[in-house]
Coordinates of all heavy atoms in Angstrom, one line a residue:
M174 N 0.8 -1.2 0.0 CA 0.0 0.0 0.0 C 0.9 1.2 0.0 O 1.9 1.3 0.6 CB -0.9 0.0 1.2 CG -2.1 -0.9 1.1 SD -3.2 -1.1 2.4 CE -3.5 0.4 3.1
A175 N 0.4 2.3 -0.6 CA 1.1 3.5 -0.7 C 0.9 4.3 0.6 O 0.1 3.9 1.5 CB 0.6 4.4 -1.9
D176 N 1.7 5.3 0.7 CA 1.7 6.2 1.9 C 0.5 7.1 1.9 O -0.1 7.3 2.9 CB 3.0 6.9 2.0 CG 3.2 7.5 3.4 OD1 2.7 6.9 4.4 OD2 3.9 8.6 3.5
K177 N 0.2 7.6 0.7 CA -0.9 8.6 0.6 C -1.7 8.3 -0.7 O -1.2 7.6 -1.6 CB -0.4 10.0 0.5 CG 0.1 10.6 1.9 CD 0.3 12.0 1.8 CE 0.5 12.6 3.2 NZ 0.4 14.0 3.2
L178 N -2.9 8.8 -0.7 CA -3.8 8.7 -1.9 C -4.1 10.1 -2.4 O -4.4 11.0 -1.6 CB -5.1 8.0 -1.6 CG -5.0 6.6 -1.2 CD1 -6.4 6.1 -0.8 CD2 -4.4 5.7 -2.3
R179 N -4.0 10.3 -3.7 CA -4.4 11.6 -4.3 C -5.7 11.4 -5.0 O -5.9 10.6 -5.9 CB -3.4 12.1 -5.4 CG -3.7 13.4 -6.0 CD -2.7 13.9 -7.0 NE -1.5 14.2 -6.2 CZ -0.2 14.0 -6.6 NH1 0.0 13.4 -7.8 NH2 0.8 14.3 -5.9
I180 N -6.7 12.0 -4.5 CA -8.1 11.8 -4.9 C -8.6 13.1 -5.6 O -8.6 14.2 -5.0 CB -9.0 11.5 -3.7 CG1 -8.4 10.3 -2.9 CG2 -10.4 11.2 -4.1 CD1 -9.0 10.1 -1.5
T181 N -9.2 12.9 -6.8 CA -9.7 14.0 -7.6 C -11.1 13.8 -7.9 O -11.5 12.7 -8.4 CB -8.9 14.2 -8.9 OG1 -7.5 14.3 -8.6 CG2 -9.3 15.4 -9.7
L182 N -12.0 14.8 -7.7 CA -13.4 14.7 -8.1 C -13.5 14.9 -9.6 O -13.1 16.0 -10.1 CB -14.2 15.7 -7.3 CG -15.7 15.7 -7.5 CD1 -16.3 14.3 -7.1 CD2 -16.4 16.8 -6.8
V183 N -14.0 14.0 -10.4 CA -14.0 14.1 -11.8 C -15.5 14.1 -12.4 O -15.7 14.4 -13.5 CB -13.3 12.9 -12.5 CG1 -11.8 13.0 -12.2 CG2 -13.8 11.6 -12.1
K184 N -16.5 13.8 -11.5 CA -17.8 13.9 -12.0 C -18.7 14.6 -10.9 O -18.4 14.5 -9.7 CB -18.3 12.4 -12.2 CG -19.6 12.3 -12.9 CD -20.0 10.9 -13.2 CE -21.4 10.8 -13.8 NZ -21.8 9.4 -13.9
S185 N -19.7 15.3 -11.4 CA -20.6 16.0 -10.5 C -21.4 15.2 -9.6 O -21.7 14.0 -9.9 CB -21.5 16.9 -11.4 OG -22.5 17.5 -10.5
T186 N -21.7 15.7 -8.4 CA -22.5 15.0 -7.4 C -24.0 15.4 -7.5 O -24.8 14.9 -6.7 CB -22.0 15.3 -6.0 OG1 -22.1 16.7 -5.8 CG2 -20.6 14.8 -5.8
I187 N -24.3 16.1 -8.5 CA -25.7 16.6 -8.6 C -26.7 15.4 -8.7 O -27.7 15.4 -8.0 CB -25.9 17.5 -9.9 CG1 -25.2 18.9 -9.6 CG2 -27.4 17.8 -10.2 CD1 -25.2 19.8 -10.7
G188 N -26.4 14.4 -9.5 CA -27.4 13.3 -9.6 C -27.1 12.2 -8.7 O -27.8 11.2 -8.7
A189 N -26.1 12.3 -7.8 CA -25.7 11.3 -6.9 C -26.7 11.2 -5.7 O -27.4 12.2 -5.4 CB -24.3 11.5 -6.4
I190 N -26.8 10.0 -5.1 CA -27.6 9.9 -3.9 C -27.0 10.7 -2.7 O -25.8 10.9 -2.7 CB -27.9 8.4 -3.5 CG1 -26.6 7.7 -3.2 CG2 -28.6 7.7 -4.7 CD1 -26.8 6.3 -2.7
P191 N -27.8 11.2 -1.8 CA -27.3 12.0 -0.7 C -26.2 11.4 0.1 O -25.3 12.1 0.5 CB -28.6 12.2 0.2 CG -29.7 12.1 -0.8 CD -29.3 11.0 -1.8
K192 N -26.2 10.1 0.3 CA -25.1 9.4 1.0 C -23.8 9.6 0.3 O -22.7 9.8 0.9 CB -25.4 8.0 1.2 CG -24.4 7.2 2.1 CD -24.9 5.8 2.3 CE -23.9 5.1 3.2 NZ -24.3 3.7 3.4
H193 N -23.8 9.5 -1.0 CA -22.6 9.7 -1.8 C -22.1 11.1 -1.8 O -20.9 11.4 -1.8 CB -22.8 9.2 -3.3 CG -22.9 7.7 -3.4 ND1 -23.1 7.1 -4.6 CD2 -22.9 6.7 -2.4 CE1 -23.2 5.8 -4.4 NE2 -23.1 5.6 -3.1
R194 N -23.1 12.1 -1.9 CA -22.7 13.5 -1.8 C -22.0 13.8 -0.5 O -21.0 14.5 -0.4 CB -23.9 14.4 -1.8 CG -24.5 14.6 -3.2 CD -25.6 15.6 -3.1 NE -26.5 15.4 -4.3 CZ -27.6 16.1 -4.5 NH1 -28.0 17.0 -3.6 NH2 -28.3 15.8 -5.5
A195 N -22.5 13.2 0.6 CA -21.9 13.4 1.9 C -20.5 12.8 2.0 O -19.6 13.4 2.6 CB -22.8 12.8 3.0
T196 N -20.4 11.7 1.4 CA -19.0 11.0 1.4 C -18.0 11.8 0.6 O -16.9 12.0 1.1 CB -19.2 9.6 0.8 OG1 -20.1 8.8 1.5 CG2 -17.8 8.9 0.8
V197 N -18.4 12.4 -0.5 CA -17.5 13.2 -1.3 C -17.1 14.4 -0.5 O -15.9 14.8 -0.5 CB -18.2 13.6 -2.7 CG1 -17.4 14.7 -3.3 CG2 -18.3 12.4 -3.6
E198 N -18.0 15.0 0.2 CA -17.7 16.2 1.0 C -16.9 15.9 2.1 O -16.0 16.6 2.5 CB -19.0 16.9 1.4 CG -18.7 18.3 2.0 CD -19.9 19.2 2.0 OE1 -20.8 19.1 1.2 OE2 -19.8 20.2 2.8
A199 N -17.1 14.7 2.8 CA -16.3 14.3 3.9 C -14.8 14.0 3.4 O -13.9 14.1 4.3 CB -16.8 13.0 4.5
L200 N -14.6 13.7 2.2 CA -13.3 13.5 1.7 C -12.6 14.8 1.4 O -11.4 14.9 1.2 CB -13.3 12.7 0.3 CG -13.6 11.2 0.5 CD1 -13.9 10.6 -0.9 CD2 -12.4 10.5 1.1
G201 N -13.3 15.9 1.5 CA -12.8 17.2 1.3 C -12.9 17.8 -0.1 O -12.2 18.7 -0.5
L202 N -13.8 17.2 -0.9 CA -14.0 17.6 -2.3 C -15.3 18.3 -2.4 O -16.3 17.9 -2.0 CB -14.0 16.3 -3.2 CG -12.7 15.5 -3.1 CD1 -13.0 14.2 -3.8 CD2 -11.5 16.2 -3.7
K203 N -15.2 19.5 -3.1 CA -16.4 20.3 -3.3 C -16.6 20.6 -4.7 O -17.8 20.7 -5.2 CB -16.3 21.6 -2.5 CG -16.3 21.4 -1.0 CD -16.3 22.7 -0.3 CE -16.2 22.5 1.2 NZ -17.5 22.5 1.9
K204 N -15.6 20.8 -5.5 CA -15.8 21.2 -6.9 C -15.1 20.2 -7.8 O -14.1 19.5 -7.4 CB -15.1 22.6 -7.2 CG -15.8 23.7 -6.5 CD -15.2 25.0 -6.9 CE -15.9 26.2 -6.2 NZ -15.3 27.4 -6.6
I205 N -15.6 20.0 -9.1 CA -15.0 19.1 -10.0 C -13.6 19.6 -10.3 O -13.3 20.8 -10.5 CB -15.8 19.1 -11.3 CG1 -17.2 18.5 -11.0 CG2 -15.1 18.3 -12.4 CD1 -18.1 18.4 -12.2
G206 N -12.6 18.7 -10.3 CA -11.2 19.0 -10.6 C -10.4 19.3 -9.3 O -9.2 19.3 -9.3
K207 N -11.1 19.4 -8.1 CA -10.4 19.6 -6.9 C -9.7 18.3 -6.5 O -10.3 17.2 -6.6 CB -11.4 20.0 -5.8 CG -11.0 20.0 -4.4 CD -10.5 21.3 -3.9 CE -10.3 21.2 -2.4 NZ -9.2 21.9 -2.0
T208 N -8.5 18.4 -6.0 CA -7.7 17.3 -5.6 C -7.3 17.4 -4.1 O -6.9 18.5 -3.7 CB -6.4 17.2 -6.5 OG1 -6.8 17.1 -7.8 CG2 -5.6 16.0 -6.1
V209 N -7.3 16.3 -3.4 CA -6.9 16.3 -2.0 C -5.9 15.1 -1.9 O -6.0 14.1 -2.6 CB -8.0 16.1 -1.0 CG1 -8.9 17.4 -1.0 CG2 -8.9 14.9 -1.2
E210 N -5.0 15.2 -0.9 CA -4.1 14.1 -0.6 C -4.5 13.6 0.8 O -4.4 14.4 1.8 CB -2.7 14.5 -0.6 CG -2.2 14.8 -2.0 CD -0.7 15.1 -2.1 OE1 0.0 15.0 -1.1 OE2 -0.3 15.5 -3.2
L211 N -4.8 12.3 1.0 CA -5.2 11.8 2.2 C -4.4 10.5 2.5 O -3.9 9.9 1.6 CB -6.7 11.4 2.2 CG -7.7 12.6 2.0 CD1 -9.1 12.0 1.8 CD2 -7.7 13.5 3.2
P212 N -4.3 10.2 3.8 CA -3.5 9.0 4.2 C -4.2 7.7 3.6 O -5.4 7.7 3.5 CB -3.5 9.0 5.7 CG -4.7 9.8 6.1 CD -4.8 10.9 5.0
D213 N -3.4 6.8 3.3 CA -3.9 5.5 2.7 C -4.2 4.6 3.9 O -3.3 3.9 4.4 CB -2.8 4.9 1.8 CG -3.3 3.7 1.1 OD1 -4.5 3.4 1.2 OD2 -2.6 3.0 0.4
N214 N -5.4 4.6 4.3 CA -5.9 3.7 5.3 C -7.2 3.1 5.0 O -7.8 3.4 4.0 CB -5.9 4.4 6.7 CG -6.8 5.6 6.7 OD1 -7.9 5.6 6.1 ND2 -6.4 6.6 7.4
D215 N -7.7 2.1 5.8 CA -8.9 1.4 5.5 C -10.1 2.3 5.4 O -11.0 2.2 4.6 CB -9.2 0.3 6.5 CG -8.1 -0.8 6.3 OD1 -7.5 -0.9 5.2 OD2 -8.0 -1.6 7.3
A216 N -10.2 3.3 6.3 CA -11.3 4.3 6.3 C -11.4 5.0 5.0 O -12.5 5.1 4.4 CB -11.2 5.2 7.5
V217 N -10.3 5.6 4.6 CA -10.3 6.4 3.4 C -10.6 5.5 2.2 O -11.4 5.9 1.3 CB -9.0 7.2 3.2 CG1 -8.9 7.8 1.8 CG2 -8.8 8.2 4.3
R218 N -10.0 4.3 2.1 CA -10.2 3.4 1.0 C -11.7 3.0 0.9 O -12.3 2.9 -0.1 CB -9.3 2.2 1.1 CG -7.9 2.5 0.7 CD -7.2 1.3 0.1 NE -5.9 1.7 -0.3 CZ -5.5 1.6 -1.5 NH1 -6.3 1.1 -2.5 NH2 -4.2 1.9 -1.8
G219 N -12.3 2.8 2.1 CA -13.8 2.5 2.1 C -14.6 3.6 1.6 O -15.6 3.4 0.8
M220 N -14.3 4.8 1.9 CA -15.0 6.0 1.4 C -14.9 6.1 -0.1 O -15.8 6.4 -0.8 CB -14.6 7.3 2.1 CG -14.9 7.3 3.6 SD -14.1 8.6 4.5 CE -15.1 10.0 3.9
V221 N -13.7 5.9 -0.6 CA -13.4 6.0 -2.0 C -14.1 4.9 -2.7 O -14.6 5.1 -3.8 CB -11.8 6.0 -2.3 CG1 -11.6 5.7 -3.7 CG2 -11.2 7.2 -1.7
W222 N -14.2 3.7 -2.2 CA -14.8 2.6 -2.8 C -16.3 2.9 -3.1 O -16.8 2.6 -4.1 CB -14.7 1.3 -2.0 CG -15.3 0.1 -2.7 CD1 -14.6 -0.6 -3.6 CD2 -16.6 -0.4 -2.5 NE1 -15.5 -1.6 -4.0 CE2 -16.7 -1.5 -3.4 CE3 -17.7 0.0 -1.8 CZ2 -17.8 -2.3 -3.5 CZ3 -18.8 -0.8 -1.8 CH2 -18.9 -1.9 -2.7
H223 N -16.9 3.6 -2.1 CA -18.4 3.9 -2.3 C -18.6 5.0 -3.4 O -19.7 5.0 -4.0 CB -19.0 4.4 -1.0 CG -19.3 3.3 0.0 ND1 -20.3 2.5 -0.2 CD2 -18.6 2.8 1.1 CE1 -20.4 1.6 0.8 NE2 -19.3 1.8 1.5
V224 N -17.7 5.8 -3.6 CA -17.9 6.9 -4.6 C -16.9 6.8 -5.8 O -16.5 7.7 -6.4 CB -17.8 8.3 -4.0 CG1 -18.9 8.5 -3.0 CG2 -16.4 8.5 -3.3
R225 N -16.5 5.5 -6.1 CA -15.4 5.3 -7.1 C -15.9 5.7 -8.5 O -15.0 6.0 -9.3 CB -15.0 3.8 -7.1 CG -16.1 2.8 -7.4 CD -15.7 1.4 -7.2 NE -16.8 0.5 -7.5 CZ -17.8 0.1 -6.7 NH1 -17.9 0.7 -5.5 NH2 -18.7 -0.7 -7.1
H226 N -17.2 5.9 -8.7 CA -17.7 6.3 -10.0 C -17.6 7.8 -10.2 O -17.8 8.3 -11.2 CB -19.1 5.8 -10.2 CG -20.0 6.3 -9.2 ND1 -20.0 5.8 -7.9 CD2 -21.0 7.2 -9.2 CE1 -21.0 6.4 -7.2 NE2 -21.6 7.2 -7.9
L227 N -17.3 8.5 -9.1 CA -17.2 10.0 -9.1 C -15.8 10.5 -9.0 O -15.6 11.7 -9.2 CB -18.0 10.6 -7.9 CG -19.5 10.2 -7.9 CD1 -20.1 10.8 -6.6 CD2 -20.2 10.8 -9.1
V228 N -14.8 9.7 -8.6 CA -13.5 10.2 -8.3 C -12.4 9.4 -9.1 O -12.7 8.3 -9.5 CB -13.2 10.1 -6.8 CG1 -14.1 11.0 -6.0 CG2 -13.2 8.7 -6.3
K229 N -11.3 10.0 -9.1 CA -10.1 9.3 -9.7 C -9.1 9.2 -8.6 O -8.8 10.2 -7.8 CB -9.5 10.2 -10.9 CG -8.3 9.6 -11.5 CD -7.8 10.4 -12.6 CE -6.9 11.5 -12.1 NZ -6.2 12.3 -13.1
V230 N -8.4 8.1 -8.4 CA -7.5 7.9 -7.3 C -6.1 7.5 -7.8 O -6.0 6.6 -8.7 CB -8.0 6.8 -6.4 CG1 -7.1 6.5 -5.2 CG2 -9.4 7.1 -5.9
E231 N -5.1 8.1 -7.2 CA -3.7 7.8 -7.6 C -3.0 7.5 -6.3 O -3.2 8.2 -5.3 CB -3.0 8.9 -8.3 CG -3.7 9.4 -9.5 CD -3.0 10.7 -10.0 OE1 -1.8 10.7 -10.1 OE2 -3.8 11.6 -10.3
E232 N -2.1 6.5 -6.3 CA -1.3 6.2 -5.1 C 0.0 7.0 -5.2 O 0.6 7.0 -6.3 CB -1.0 4.7 -5.0 CG -2.2 3.9 -4.7 CD -1.8 2.4 -4.6 OE1 -0.7 2.0 -4.9 OE2 -2.7 1.6 -4.1
I233 N 0.4 7.7 -4.2 CA 1.6 8.5 -4.2 C 2.5 8.1 -3.0 O 2.1 7.5 -2.1 CB 1.4 10.0 -4.2 CG1 0.5 10.4 -3.1 CG2 0.7 10.4 -5.5 CD1 0.3 11.9 -2.9

């Protein structure tokens, strides 16, 4: 596993269910194209798994 994950919002949350919107915001993403770096742990990976259709993930 990598030390950190770079997560970028690539699709709008307008049509997403409310739980997915909340997950995206909890990851620190608000606008399309915004990127955050978060630690690579089970909690973050679980959140990313739920919204994998909305984000792009890179291991760094």
